[in-house]
Amino acid sequence: RVLRPDWTERAVANLGAALEKHLARRGFDVKRFEPATPAATEELREVKLLYEAVGSAIVQATIANQFPWKLDRFDYTVGDVGALAAAGGVDALVFVHAVANISSGGRVALQLLGAGGGIDWLIVSVVDRTGTVLWFARVYSTVCDVRDPDYAALLVEQATNRRPRKAR
């Protein structure tokens, strides 16, 4: 795999715009969080790292392994993010994490022979001021290319239309 920063920037812009538009259509007042101070930037970095660990735990417990007690009691937190939410003037934070695999011609040929291919996925989560993960959805795709705004919007629509197993 080769990371392509230009493709990443395009995908981030497309997914962000699609999510903002989709949530706004549903009546949410959405704004991107831009830390105003170095301290807020550092706090956001730390919360992102915590969220990555928590998100990974959620995937392992509820999707990969499907532990019954975790499916019945969805209870995850990243710790208090009240100061960060207050600094952004928001009630909740939305985290988005995506992985996209754009195959080369040779890889496409191997995929046609059944030699495995990349699966793209998108995770969208909502975390309240206490840090509680209120909502978590993960979708997969083998056909979406999030560099295309229409495909990014389709993936966002699929993720945000999913109902969590247990909602708070």
Side-chain angles (χ1 to χ4, degrees):
R1 293 190 178 166
V2 176
L3 180 63
R4 295 283 310 262
D6 55 329
W7 290 2
T8 299
E9 288 175 23
R10 194 170 349 150
V12 166
N14 289 341
L15 288 168
L19 186 60
E20 287 175 18
K21 184 176 179 181
H22 185 75
L23 292 176
R25 275 197 322 258
R26 293 179 132 191
F28 293 96
D29 182 18
V30 180
K31 59 181 168 179
R32 290 189 186 217
F33 183 76
E34 297 294 335
T37 66
T41 300
E42 178 59 21
E43 185 172 356
L44 179 60
R45 187 187 73 75
E46 289 176 10
V47 169
K48 282 181 179 180
L49 290 171
L50 283 169
Y51 173 77
E52 287 176 16
V54 170
S56 179
I58 292 171
V59 168
Q60 286 302 312
T62 64
I63 297 171
N65 295 307
Q66 296 190 3
F67 296 128
W69 63 92
K70 288 296 189 177
L71 294 173
D72 291 338
R73 187 168 182 259
F74 188 88
D75 189 15
Y76 295 91
T77 182
V78 296
D80 187 354
V81 294
L84 194 60
V90 298
D91 295 320
L93 303 175
V94 177
F95 289 91
V96 178
H97 188 80
V99 171
N101 296 286
I102 309 301
S103 298
S104 65
R107 186 177 186 119
V108 169
L110 286 173
Q111 290 169 345
L112 291 173
L113 296 173
I119 296 176
D120 303 338
W121 49 268
L122 172 69
I123 294 174
V124 179
S125 302
V126 176
V127 175
D128 71 9
R129 286 176 173 241
T130 69
T132 301
V133 179
L134 298 175
W135 192 80
F136 184 94
R138 181 176 176 174
V139 292
Y140 302 89
S141 173
T142 57
V143 296
C144 282
D145 181 347
V146 292
R147 296 173 301 170
D148 179 308
D150 293 333
Y151 280 118
L154 176 65
L155 208 55
V156 163
E157 182 100 11
Q158 290 172 352
T160 56
N161 285 335
R162 290 200 169 201
R163 301 259 185 236
R165 284 188 175 86
K166 294 286 182 185
R168 292 182 174 257

